[in-house]
Amino acid sequence: MFVRDVVGVFESQEMLTDRQVVVISGGSRGLGQALVTACLQHDYVVATCSRSTTPFIEELLTQDPARQTFMWESVDCTDYARVQQFTTEIVQCYGRIDVLINNAGIGVDGLLPLMRQSDIEQSIHLNIAGTIFLTRACSRAMLQQQSGCIINISSVNAIRGQAGIAVYSATKAALDGLTRSLAKELGPKNIRINSVAPGYFESTMVGHLTEAQKHRIMRRTPLGRLGTVDDITNLVLFLLSPQAAFVTGQIIAVDGGLTC
Amino acid sequence: MLNAKLTSQAIEQVIHEEILHILDEREEWIPDIANDARLHADLGLGSLDLAQLVSVLEMKLRADPFEHLVAITEIRTVGDLCQAYQRLLVGETNESTTRDILRAGQTRAQARRARRQA
């Protein structure tokens, strides 16, 4: 029977890992790099993507050419077909997708009346459409398993407005809406979705701020400092762990109390 | 990689098995899956169950007829589902083309309206 032959190809595929598989978009630098590192250190299998490699990615590829615990692919998340290919490849390689961390995103500063159409569209396409494309693809794998965890990296700027980043704020607020609706939609199949909204933390995205601006932010922050990458990754690791099994649909700010 | 040509009967068998699998998870037992069984009204499958089913079938059959070929909203019965995959994978259906699937859907909608007005 043809079907048995064909279906058997997929059913007999060995699960190459019994570890949880975490997909991270934009894992080549910055917070994404930190998330990849943290997940690998906690014995997760990590599949990440970005448009191009970095020395960080190249080193991981050199250490694990057989993709036993790490995979990287060049993916433009706004390319729907490529995103589908990427997730198919992950499932073919590891047999499962347990966690998706939607980290890829860009922030283009500027007053809206002066922004270029291309910058507006790029922000919307990557931060919203790209995130939704990857979430759709990964959620299909999670539906088959009837379990999963999706974490959207949002921003405190989705919670509180800030001049000069209206488009970025809009895209991050869109992710929070996605989080809430998807939590209701996929919850019955044991798939949790949460947003992590980082405040200002030491990263390239605040690298353009002057020292005076940074000090002003710290004065407004009850805990009196900028965040660190570890502050963000620690919350992400909690949310994807069994300890967060009853947490879904939440937008959790990691901002030292800035928005409280 | 899928390189074996599936028969319409084989496709139907896979779909019936996966529907039974979902029902089995709910500890509901239905002896036979008939092609005229309505997915929601008769089998109790909700939209999320259908999403799960389509996801599994995409893995098993390496095909998704709802991406471009057939609107998921037109699927009412097990037979509708089988015909969608058969049309994509075999290029023909046991009964009719997609146009006939839509016509059958319209006929059912008219019947529902008539019952409500009666």
Side-chain angles (χ1 to χ4, degrees):
Chain A
M1 170 74 74
F2 280 123
V3 153
R4 289 292 169 223
D5 292 339
V6 167
V7 169
V9 169
F10 304 116
E11 288 183 336
S12 67
Q13 175 186 340
E14 267 187 61
M15 297 276 282
L16 295 181
T17 180
D18 56 2
R19 297 181 182 180
Q20 296 231 304
V21 177
V22 180
V23 178
I24 302 173
S25 64
S28 63
R29 68 188 80 231
L31 177 59
Q33 174 179 330
L35 290 167
V36 167
T37 301
C39 288
L40 287 172
Q41 287 173 345
H42 283 77
D43 288 336
Y44 294 103
V45 170
V46 174
T48 190
C49 65
S50 54
R51 280 175 292 180
S52 57
T53 62
T54 58
F56 168 71
I57 295 295
E58 291 292 341
E59 183 177 344
L60 289 176
L61 290 173
T62 302
Q63 291 173 2
D64 188 4
R67 292 182 161 184
Q68 289 187 336
T69 61
F70 178 76
M71 171 197 288
W72 173 85
E73 287 287 330
S74 172
V75 178
D76 177 352
C77 287
T78 62
D79 183 338
Y80 184 82
R82 185 70 185 101
V83 166
Q84 288 193 301
Q85 277 179 351
F86 175 54
T87 53
T88 297
E89 197 164 339
I90 296 169
V91 174
Q92 286 178 342
C93 187
Y94 301 119
R96 56 193 296 133
I97 293 176
D98 298 286
V99 178
L100 167 63
I101 303 174
N102 283 310
N103 169 75
I106 57 171
V108 181
D109 291 357
L111 296 180
L112 182 60
L114 299 177
M115 281 192 80
R116 294 178 177 178
Q117 176 183 351
S118 57
D119 288 336
I120 294 171
E121 289 179 345
Q122 186 184 26
S123 292
I124 292 171
H125 289 162
L126 179 58
N127 293 5
I128 301 177
T131 296
I132 292 175
F133 291 165
L134 185 56
T135 302
R136 177 190 182 277
C138 291
S139 68
R140 289 193 152 203
M142 294 176 182
L143 277 174
Q144 294 177 43
Q145 298 153 198
Q146 295 194 70
S147 71
C149 171
I150 299 170
I151 298 170
N152 293 322
I153 302 300
S154 175
S155 169
V156 290
N157 293 305
I159 301 172
R160 176 180 290 185
Q162 179 74 35
I165 51 170
V167 174
Y168 177 77
S169 296
T171 64
K172 292 302 183 180
L175 288 195
D176 291 346
L178 180 70
T179 290
R180 283 187 280 261
S181 285
L182 270 187
K184 295 213 170 182
E185 186 170 301
L186 301 179
K189 295 294 182 180
N190 197 31
I191 299 170
R192 300 183 294 110
I193 303 95
N194 293 288
S195 278
V196 170
Y200 293 92
F201 65 101
E202 293 290 359
S203 68
T204 55
M205 289 186 86
V206 299
H208 64 287
L209 296 179
T210 65
E211 287 305 309
Q213 287 172 322
K214 288 182 186 178
H215 281 291
R216 194 155 50 239
I217 292 169
M218 286 190 277
R219 282 197 300 274
R220 287 162 39 206
T221 303
L223 292 182
R225 64 173 175 85
L226 294 181
T228 66
V229 164
D230 285 346
D231 291 331
I232 314 303
T233 60
N234 285 342
L235 175 62
V236 171
L237 288 171
F238 165 71
L239 286 173
L240 60 84
S241 75
Q243 283 68 41
F246 204 55
V247 181
T248 192
Q250 302 305 305
I251 319 303
I252 304 173
V254 189
D255 65 357
L258 183 67
T259 54
C260 70
Chain B
M1 197 71 179
L2 175 61
N3 56 14
K5 184 169 171 58
L6 292 172
T7 64
S8 294
Q9 187 182 5
I11 292 168
E12 185 176 296
Q13 181 180 337
V14 171
I15 291 172
H16 285 200
E17 285 177 354
E18 291 307 322
I19 291 174
L20 277 173
H21 183 71
I22 290 177
L23 295 173
D24 185 56
E25 287 172 353
R26 298 180 178 180
E27 299 179 352
E28 290 175 17
W29 181 68
I30 295 187
D32 286 311
I33 301 296
N35 278 345
D36 63 353
R38 291 166 297 176
L39 292 169
H40 179 62
D42 296 327
L43 303 181
L45 296 179
S47 54
L48 195 54
D49 296 316
L50 186 56
Q52 179 184 342
L53 181 59
V54 169
S55 300
V56 173
L57 292 174
E58 183 179 19
M59 180 190 72
K60 298 248 178 180
L61 300 176
R62 278 291 186 262
D64 180 7
F66 308 110
E67 187 71 52
H68 299 293
L69 192 63
V70 179
I72 191 72
T73 50
E74 295 304 324
I75 303 301
R76 294 284 184 272
T77 67
V78 175
D80 292 343
L81 196 62
C82 294
Q83 286 168 24
Y85 283 90
Q86 288 159 350
R87 176 169 170 73
L88 180 66
L89 293 171
V90 182
E92 60 191 30
T93 65
N94 286 337
E95 294 180 19
S96 61
T97 62
T98 301
R99 188 176 57 251
D100 289 340
I101 294 173
L102 294 175
R103 191 175 301 134
Q106 289 167 351
T107 301
R108 288 192 295 269
Q110 285 173 349
R112 285 194 298 273
R113 282 194 292 274
R115 284 196 298 273
R116 281 198 294 268
Q117 289 167 0

